PDB file of all heavy atoms in Angstrom:
ATOM      1  N   ASP A 180     -72.113  20.669  51.400  1.00 91.00           N
ATOM      2  CA  ASP A 180     -73.563  20.787  51.551  1.00 91.00           C
ATOM      3  C   ASP A 180     -73.990  22.253  51.577  1.00 91.00           C
ATOM      4  O   ASP A 180     -75.075  22.601  51.092  1.00 91.00           O
ATOM      5  CB  ASP A 180     -74.024  20.094  52.839  1.00 91.00           C
ATOM      6  CG  ASP A 180     -73.945  18.573  52.747  1.00 91.00           C
ATOM      7  OD1 ASP A 180     -73.981  18.041  51.615  1.00 91.00           O
ATOM      8  OD2 ASP A 180     -73.856  17.919  53.806  1.00 91.00           O
ATOM      9  N   ALA A 181     -73.154  23.114  52.155  1.00 90.00           N
ATOM     10  CA  ALA A 181     -73.482  24.542  52.189  1.00 90.00           C
ATOM     11  C   ALA A 181     -73.575  25.111  50.774  1.00 90.00           C
ATOM     12  O   ALA A 181     -74.455  25.939  50.480  1.00 90.00           O
ATOM     13  CB  ALA A 181     -72.433  25.302  52.997  1.00 90.00           C
ATOM     14  N   MET A 182     -72.692  24.673  49.883  1.00 94.00           N
ATOM     15  CA  MET A 182     -72.762  25.153  48.511  1.00 94.00           C
ATOM     16  C   MET A 182     -73.974  24.590  47.788  1.00 94.00           C
ATOM     17  O   MET A 182     -74.550  25.245  46.909  1.00 94.00           O
ATOM     18  CB  MET A 182     -71.474  24.796  47.770  1.00 94.00           C
ATOM     19  CG  MET A 182     -70.297  25.656  48.160  1.00 94.00           C
ATOM     20  SD  MET A 182     -70.627  27.433  48.011  1.00 94.00           S
ATOM     21  CE  MET A 182     -70.808  27.586  46.239  1.00 94.00           C
ATOM     22  N   ALA A 183     -74.381  23.389  48.124  1.00 95.00           N
ATOM     23  CA  ALA A 183     -75.624  22.856  47.566  1.00 95.00           C
ATOM     24  C   ALA A 183     -76.796  23.741  47.986  1.00 95.00           C
ATOM     25  O   ALA A 183     -77.694  24.040  47.183  1.00 95.00           O
ATOM     26  CB  ALA A 183     -75.841  21.420  48.038  1.00 95.00           C
ATOM     27  N   GLY A 184     -76.784  24.184  49.234  1.00 94.00           N
ATOM     28  CA  GLY A 184     -77.822  25.092  49.705  1.00 94.00           C
ATOM     29  C   GLY A 184     -77.802  26.417  48.971  1.00 94.00           C
ATOM     30  O   GLY A 184     -78.859  26.989  48.660  1.00 94.00           O
ATOM     31  N   TYR A 185     -76.613  26.927  48.676  1.00 94.00           N
ATOM     32  CA  TYR A 185     -76.494  28.164  47.896  1.00 94.00           C
ATOM     33  C   TYR A 185     -77.144  27.998  46.522  1.00 94.00           C
ATOM     34  O   TYR A 185     -77.911  28.868  46.063  1.00 94.00           O
ATOM     35  CB  TYR A 185     -75.026  28.551  47.753  1.00 94.00           C
ATOM     36  CG  TYR A 185     -74.698  29.368  46.531  1.00 94.00           C
ATOM     37  CD1 TYR A 185     -75.087  30.698  46.437  1.00 94.00           C
ATOM     38  CD2 TYR A 185     -74.010  28.798  45.457  1.00 94.00           C
ATOM     39  CE1 TYR A 185     -74.787  31.448  45.300  1.00 94.00           C
ATOM     40  CE2 TYR A 185     -73.712  29.542  44.330  1.00 94.00           C
ATOM     41  CZ  TYR A 185     -74.102  30.862  44.248  1.00 94.00           C
ATOM     42  OH  TYR A 185     -73.819  31.595  43.119  1.00 94.00           O
ATOM     43  N   LEU A 186     -76.861  26.884  45.855  1.00 96.00           N
ATOM     44  CA  LEU A 186     -77.440  26.663  44.532  1.00 96.00           C
ATOM     45  C   LEU A 186     -78.966  26.623  44.589  1.00 96.00           C
ATOM     46  O   LEU A 186     -79.649  27.192  43.731  1.00 96.00           O
ATOM     47  CB  LEU A 186     -76.887  25.368  43.933  1.00 96.00           C
ATOM     48  CG  LEU A 186     -75.434  25.430  43.461  1.00 96.00           C
ATOM     49  CD1 LEU A 186     -74.899  24.035  43.168  1.00 96.00           C
ATOM     50  CD2 LEU A 186     -75.302  26.318  42.223  1.00 96.00           C
ATOM     51  N   LYS A 187     -79.495  25.974  45.601  1.00 96.00           N
ATOM     52  CA  LYS A 187     -80.955  25.930  45.741  1.00 96.00           C
ATOM     53  C   LYS A 187     -81.523  27.321  45.989  1.00 96.00           C
ATOM     54  O   LYS A 187     -82.612  27.652  45.517  1.00 96.00           O
ATOM     55  CB  LYS A 187     -81.337  24.989  46.882  1.00 96.00           C
ATOM     56  CG  LYS A 187     -81.000  23.528  46.618  1.00 96.00           C
ATOM     57  CD  LYS A 187     -81.255  22.683  47.865  1.00 96.00           C
ATOM     58  CE  LYS A 187     -80.638  21.304  47.733  1.00 96.00           C
ATOM     59  NZ  LYS A 187     -80.794  20.513  48.981  1.00 96.00           N
ATOM     60  N   SER A 188     -80.762  28.164  46.699  1.00 95.00           N
ATOM     61  CA  SER A 188     -81.254  29.504  47.023  1.00 95.00           C
ATOM     62  C   SER A 188     -81.364  30.392  45.794  1.00 95.00           C
ATOM     63  O   SER A 188     -82.058  31.419  45.831  1.00 95.00           O
ATOM     64  CB  SER A 188     -80.346  30.169  48.066  1.00 95.00           C
ATOM     65  OG  SER A 188     -79.164  30.695  47.476  1.00 95.00           O
ATOM     66  N   ILE A 189     -80.665  30.034  44.703  1.00 94.00           N
ATOM     67  CA  ILE A 189     -80.758  30.830  43.474  1.00 94.00           C
ATOM     68  C   ILE A 189     -81.535  30.090  42.395  1.00 94.00           C
ATOM     69  O   ILE A 189     -81.418  30.399  41.213  1.00 94.00           O
ATOM     70  CB  ILE A 189     -79.365  31.260  42.971  1.00 94.00           C
ATOM     71  CG1 ILE A 189     -78.467  30.055  42.695  1.00 94.00           C
ATOM     72  CG2 ILE A 189     -78.699  32.201  43.959  1.00 94.00           C
ATOM     73  CD1 ILE A 189     -77.158  30.415  41.992  1.00 94.00           C
ATOM     74  N   GLY A 190     -82.325  29.102  42.815  1.00 93.00           N
ATOM     75  CA  GLY A 190     -83.285  28.510  41.895  1.00 93.00           C
ATOM     76  C   GLY A 190     -82.913  27.193  41.252  1.00 93.00           C
ATOM     77  O   GLY A 190     -83.661  26.696  40.397  1.00 93.00           O
ATOM     78  N   MET A 191     -81.805  26.580  41.635  1.00 96.00           N
ATOM     79  CA  MET A 191     -81.452  25.286  41.071  1.00 96.00           C
ATOM     80  C   MET A 191     -82.227  24.181  41.796  1.00 96.00           C
ATOM     81  O   MET A 191     -82.582  24.306  42.962  1.00 96.00           O
ATOM     82  CB  MET A 191     -79.950  25.043  41.171  1.00 96.00           C
ATOM     83  CG  MET A 191     -79.108  26.164  40.594  1.00 96.00           C
ATOM     84  SD  MET A 191     -79.570  26.653  38.912  1.00 96.00           S
ATOM     85  CE  MET A 191     -78.656  28.199  38.751  1.00 96.00           C
ATOM     86  N   LYS A 192     -82.456  23.097  41.080  1.00 96.00           N
ATOM     87  CA  LYS A 192     -83.260  21.996  41.612  1.00 96.00           C
ATOM     88  C   LYS A 192     -82.385  20.960  42.305  1.00 96.00           C
ATOM     89  O   LYS A 192     -81.216  20.770  41.945  1.00 96.00           O
ATOM     90  CB  LYS A 192     -84.042  21.325  40.479  1.00 96.00           C
ATOM     91  CG  LYS A 192     -85.002  22.251  39.748  1.00 96.00           C
ATOM     92  CD  LYS A 192     -85.637  21.525  38.571  1.00 96.00           C
ATOM     93  CE  LYS A 192     -86.567  22.449  37.783  1.00 96.00           C
ATOM     94  NZ  LYS A 192     -87.128  21.758  36.595  1.00 96.00           N
ATOM     95  N   ASP A 193     -82.967  20.260  43.265  1.00 95.00           N
ATOM     96  CA  ASP A 193     -82.255  19.164  43.932  1.00 95.00           C
ATOM     97  C   ASP A 193     -81.712  18.170  42.923  1.00 95.00           C
ATOM     98  O   ASP A 193     -80.605  17.643  43.084  1.00 95.00           O
ATOM     99  CB  ASP A 193     -83.191  18.435  44.899  1.00 95.00           C
ATOM    100  CG  ASP A 193     -83.419  19.188  46.194  1.00 95.00           C
ATOM    101  OD1 ASP A 193     -82.621  20.092  46.503  1.00 95.00           O
ATOM    102  OD2 ASP A 193     -84.391  18.880  46.891  1.00 95.00           O
TER     103      ASP A 193
END
Side-chain angles (χ1 to χ4, degrees):
D180 288 336
M182 285 306 293
Y185 154 72
L186 287 168
K187 294 173 193 176
S188 79
I189 59 171
M191 307 309 167
K192 300 175 182 177
D193 283 342

